[in-house]
Amino acid sequence: METNRLPALLKQALLTFTVSLILFGPISGLVLEGFSFRNELTRAVVLAAFVTLGRVALSLIGMTAFGRKLAGGAAPSGGGVTVMTGEEKSSTALLALLFLAGIALPFFADKYFLGIAILALIYCLLGLGLNIVVGLAGLLDLGFVAFYAVGAYLLALGYQYLGLGFWSALVIAPFLAGLFGMILAFPVLKMHGDYLAIVTLGFGEIIRLVLNNWLEFTGGPNGAPVPAPTLFGLEFTRTAKQGGVPLHDYFGIAYSADYKFWFIYLVLFLVVCLVIYAVERLRVMPLGRMWEALREDEIACRSLGVNHVFTKLTAFMLGASTGGLAGVFFAVHQGFVNPTSFTFFESALILAIVVLGGLGSTVGVIAAALVLTILPELLRDFAEYRVLIFGVLMVVMMIWKPRGLVRIKRPAFFPSTTAEKTGSLPFAAKAEATR
Amino acid sequence: MTTPLLDVRNVTMRFGGIVANRAVSFSVERGAVTALIGPNGAGKTTMFNCITGFYRASEGQILLNGRDGPQDIGALMTRPITGGSHLVTRAGIARTFQNIRLFKEMSVVENLLVAQHRVTANNIVSGVLRTPAFRRAEREAVDRAYHWLRQMNLAEDANRLAGELPYGRQRRLEIARAMCTDPKLICLDEPAAGLNPSETRELSEVIQRLCHEHGQTVLVIEHDMGLVMRISQHVVVLDHGEVISDGTPEHVANDPAVVAAYLGVSEEEVNA
């Protein structure tokens, strides 16, 4: 055993060294100088040596007992899905505590942190929406940002042309985004997997390009202003601009720009809580179950009489609605929208949130959304390396936890007590009658 | 004589130039087990897919005399916009698959609950608000699921993942799931494939129980002749896409055409 390890280790080290040399050779070893280049191959060799050392160190750690324990704990076991036993402790107390903490946050946090918190909650909302489409219904959607843009531009353009305010936009946005979802979904739902992904990617880009190029209507790259929110006619600006009374005048307190963000945060927090509740309910509802069944096996679903086109359509529309809601909050928080906020990178980020969180897991999606929005803020000093760290995180996750951060738990079902005793047979009686 | 539950009339199925079924006609009697047998490649599964609405037969009619009088399966499938194979299940034909198609990452009960989507309250609002009607429908659905699990001897596995179950139990779960759609006719595609003798025996008991206790009409494709002879009242033999024999198990077993199809014929007999 011991004798076998050394040659294996050497072989591995040699392979790593060769591969990294091939990679680093042209990238770091050749330096351009005007129209000619200079050889700096020692640099590439040093880099490759570092990588090799790292690989050997990893293998050595893996050989120790501690390393094996670590790998064993992180290795995917049992497919990552379990069924609850029905005897889990209720987490109501914990949830209530989290809810109160969330409500109380604006009174402790400074303006900078509150801004991050609002952004994190917006991504929570987006993640929850995409989770319905990708995680539950299994439809890969790469253009989710389109619905986000629909929500945001609804508020901006609705204010400009129709005089819509924050609240009316909040009510209309889910329906409008759902409508857009339906328009997209109808022609494409007969497609599967990769083809669907390409079409949705195209749809996302179309929306962005239309917003960018339709200068007269959307303002193009110059964007469009968004009104500040109001509360029963009270405005959060220093002077009333929408025909109401400024909040600080009404209550006779000093003006502070923070009130607006407190208000947005609180409304957003309540909306996120409602959406979380609805999504959690969906998992134990017939519709949610049908989505998951469709993800598992579409042919079997059809054999059970599930209308697969209609069911997918509902998933697409509900996901889009949630995205539209998030868009309204984004617009009102920024006070300004333009097409650069709705690029493919956003879609990819939202998809990363859903995948990292564990497809279909609500808790996982929320955790991933918080991590992926707060982490870049903490890493401000390494701003240039943000995407690199992000990529490394993804690779590491896919190796160690391919099913996402949080294990998916399926609800348990038990027969009602009356049925247990009498053995009531709803269908059997009918079958007897038809005989 | 009552009308048969399912009437297959002159069905021909072509894939381009290949004719998988040629002018197949047979009927399935109510409350009985009908078996569809034949050598490999005889067109049994194609016939099955036509009946269960996964293929549209090129020619001929398949009539189901279900709840709402005779219905043409082919017409259900090609109905514009809303048409599709799911309507066939709604009309009363449920099926299982040759290679098991369960929702592997969902629990056993959930598999059965999905099958009952016709009777549960599917409205989003009622589900989110947990209205009394929603809760009653859910409770009944769970009870019905447990009823069929008990019928299939699967009750102790109710809250396990479907993909974790042993192969034989997955087969029975698939039958339970099909039964949860409250079908008039249940079509089993090679239910005994890959089962060991004791599991096959258990399966044949389950099918007979369905037939005798619940009055369920069963159509089954099977290669295990012992099972076919034991459970079926009516056997249809297909070979090269055509019906070569049709009758009671005894009649079919002694039919020279069937023996020839399965075992081949010697050269003298062909020349004679």
Side-chain angles (χ1 to χ4, degrees):
Chain A
M1 189 69 194
E2 280 296 325
T3 47
N4 285 344
R5 272 185 191 168
L6 198 63
L9 201 64
L10 282 177
K11 211 167 127 190
Q12 205 178 36
L14 192 67
L15 185 71
T16 316
F17 188 74
T18 320
V19 170
S20 38
L21 203 59
I22 292 171
L23 278 177
F24 285 123
I27 297 172
S28 314
L30 302 175
V31 179
L32 285 177
E33 275 178 346
F35 292 106
S36 65
F37 61 84
R38 155 166 69 88
N39 268 333
E40 287 271 4
L41 277 180
T42 43
R43 243 194 254 175
V45 172
V46 170
L47 279 172
F50 266 115
V51 172
T52 313
L53 269 180
R55 183 74 196 88
V56 170
L58 258 181
S59 302
L60 284 176
I61 292 173
M63 283 173 192
T64 62
F66 173 72
R68 246 180 259 138
K69 213 170 99 190
L70 204 70
S77 51
V81 184
T82 49
V83 184
M84 290 193 266
T85 54
E87 287 153 10
E88 280 87 359
K89 273 186 228 151
S90 163
S91 50
T92 323
L94 181 68
L95 287 179
L97 205 67
L98 279 177
F99 181 77
L100 287 178
I103 288 280
L105 184 77
F107 304 105
F108 300 110
D110 58 355
K111 194 178 165 191
Y112 170 67
F113 189 75
L114 198 61
I116 299 174
I118 290 175
L119 209 61
L121 284 182
I122 288 173
Y123 278 101
C124 268
L125 214 48
L126 286 170
L128 288 169
L130 190 62
N131 191 31
I132 293 177
V133 184
V134 180
L136 294 182
L139 306 165
L140 186 52
D141 182 353
L142 292 181
F144 194 67
V145 78
F147 308 118
Y148 186 38
V150 166
Y153 265 89
L154 170 74
L155 180 53
L157 300 179
Y159 174 65
Q160 200 174 330
Y161 295 103
L162 305 168
L164 289 183
F166 170 66
W167 289 102
S168 34
L170 200 58
V171 175
I172 299 171
F175 294 99
L176 189 72
L179 187 73
F180 269 81
M182 194 172 82
I183 292 169
L184 166 66
F186 242 130
V188 305
L189 280 183
K190 300 242 166 185
M191 297 179 202
H192 299 266
D194 310 349
Y195 304 102
L196 184 71
I198 295 286
V199 175
T200 51
L201 174 65
F203 181 75
E205 286 299 287
I206 288 170
I207 293 276
R208 187 177 66 82
L209 288 174
V210 167
L211 292 175
N212 207 17
N213 291 312
W214 196 358
L215 276 173
E216 307 88 74
F217 185 65
T218 65
N222 300 330
V226 177
T230 56
L231 177 66
F232 301 118
L234 297 177
E235 297 192 20
F236 291 91
T237 39
R238 190 180 286 277
T239 51
K241 286 174 184 155
Q242 296 172 65
V245 183
L247 181 89
H248 55 281
D249 279 357
Y250 188 81
F251 287 110
I253 45 177
Y255 171 75
S256 163
D258 291 353
Y259 296 149
K260 184 178 107 177
F261 294 105
W262 289 16
F263 171 72
I264 295 174
Y265 174 83
L266 288 176
V267 176
L268 178 57
F269 183 73
L270 291 179
V271 168
V272 169
C273 287
L274 277 181
V275 171
I276 291 172
Y277 176 72
V279 171
E280 273 298 290
R281 285 292 311 156
L282 273 173
R283 293 177 55 91
V284 288
M285 272 165 56
L287 188 63
R289 277 198 297 265
M290 277 195 270
W291 291 341
E292 294 196 74
L294 265 181
R295 178 192 64 196
E296 296 287 311
D297 196 324
E298 187 175 320
I299 290 178
C301 267
R302 276 159 57 191
S303 86
L304 296 174
V306 173
N307 186 342
H308 57 287
V309 175
F310 177 75
T311 310
K312 280 182 185 175
L313 198 64
T314 54
F316 231 91
M317 287 175 67
L318 276 177
S321 301
T322 318
L325 266 182
V328 173
F329 282 106
F330 176 75
V332 84
H333 176 231
Q334 300 283 323
F336 169 79
V337 286
N338 83 345
T340 48
S341 311
F342 309 107
T343 54
F344 172 67
F345 187 76
E346 289 293 302
S347 284
L349 187 68
I350 305 164
L351 191 64
I353 287 173
V354 175
V355 172
L356 282 184
L359 292 169
S361 157
T362 312
V363 181
V365 166
I366 296 164
L370 295 180
V371 167
L372 287 192
T373 41
I374 293 173
L375 199 65
E377 295 301 328
L378 298 181
L379 296 176
R380 274 274 172 232
D381 299 342
F382 313 96
E384 292 157 51
Y385 301 101
R386 243 198 296 187
V387 181
L388 178 70
I389 293 172
F390 191 61
V392 170
L393 199 67
M394 285 290 255
V395 172
V396 169
M397 279 289 302
M398 284 303 110
I399 293 170
W400 274 339
K401 288 255 175 194
R403 302 299 305 268
L405 284 169
V406 178
R407 243 164 183 255
I408 294 166
K409 290 211 166 162
R410 306 222 56 98
F413 292 92
F414 297 98
S416 59
T417 43
T418 49
E420 196 78 88
K421 275 180 224 143
T422 59
S424 81
L425 319 170
F427 273 160
K430 248 200 270 178
E432 291 292 331
T434 53
R435 196 193 281 200
Chain B
M1 174 120 181
T2 54
T3 53
L5 182 64
L6 185 81
D7 207 352
V8 179
R9 292 181 191 162
N10 280 316
V11 167
T12 299
M13 183 71 205
R14 283 191 216 93
F15 296 102
I18 296 168
V19 182
N21 292 116
R22 181 172 300 150
V24 174
S25 297
F26 64 93
S27 57
V28 176
E29 298 299 330
R30 280 170 209 276
V33 177
T34 303
L36 196 57
I37 63 171
N40 286 330
K44 302 184 297 294
T45 299
T46 307
M47 195 63 239
F48 230 57
N49 282 338
C50 289
I51 293 172
T52 53
F54 278 79
Y55 294 155
R56 170 80 164 104
S58 314
E59 283 165 32
Q61 263 191 324
I62 302 170
L63 289 179
L64 176 74
N65 295 303
R67 289 168 206 129
D68 322 312
Q71 271 182 304
D72 186 2
I73 298 299
L76 280 180
M77 277 190 67
T78 45
R79 190 183 290 175
I81 302 176
T82 57
S85 39
H86 60 276
L87 289 182
V88 177
T89 312
R90 294 182 185 190
I93 298 183
R95 72 169 294 178
T96 66
F97 294 88
Q98 195 172 342
N99 41 352
I100 302 174
R101 284 182 174 276
L102 288 170
F103 309 126
K104 290 198 170 64
E105 295 208 340
M106 299 172 78
S107 77
V108 169
V109 184
E110 281 178 304
N111 266 273
L112 303 189
L113 290 180
V114 170
Q116 300 182 54
H117 65 97
R118 298 279 287 155
V119 292
T120 46
N122 293 349
N123 190 323
I124 298 173
V125 180
S126 69
V128 170
L129 298 180
R130 287 205 207 194
T131 56
F134 170 81
R135 273 184 289 180
R136 194 177 54 246
E138 279 292 280
R139 200 168 57 235
E140 282 171 10
V142 171
D143 288 346
R144 206 173 296 122
Y146 269 91
H147 165 65
W148 283 113
L149 286 179
R150 278 192 288 272
Q151 292 295 312
M152 299 287 157
N153 306 328
L154 288 169
E156 66 271 28
D157 294 321
N159 284 311
R160 286 177 67 187
L161 285 186
E164 284 175 357
L165 296 186
Y167 194 77
R169 285 172 172 263
Q170 291 195 5
R171 283 267 174 216
R172 274 183 281 143
L173 175 57
E174 218 189 7
I175 297 175
R177 189 179 66 178
M179 286 308 296
C180 275
T181 61
D182 189 20
K184 293 278 161 216
L185 169 69
I186 181 167
C187 302
L188 310 175
D189 195 349
E190 301 203 13
L195 300 190
N196 65 34
S198 81
E199 283 172 326
T200 308
R201 214 173 309 117
E202 201 173 352
L203 179 82
S204 73
E205 280 162 21
V206 160
I207 296 175
Q208 280 173 320
R209 198 171 341 132
L210 278 183
C211 191
H212 296 141
E213 289 179 21
H214 302 287
Q216 184 64 45
T217 312
V218 183
L219 176 64
V220 57
I221 292 183
E222 190 45 68
H223 278 299
D224 184 334
M225 283 309 139
L227 179 71
V228 169
M229 294 301 157
R230 198 158 56 237
I231 63 170
S232 53
Q233 281 91 54
H234 177 195
V235 179
V236 179
V237 190
L238 283 181
D239 190 27
H240 297 297
E242 292 174 71
V243 177
I244 57 169
S245 186
D246 185 345
T248 60
E250 296 75 37
H251 167 78
V252 165
N254 299 321
D255 191 331
V258 178
V259 178
Y262 270 90
L263 302 176
V265 280
S266 62
E267 217 166 308
E268 299 92 80
E269 281 176 76
V270 173
N271 296 334

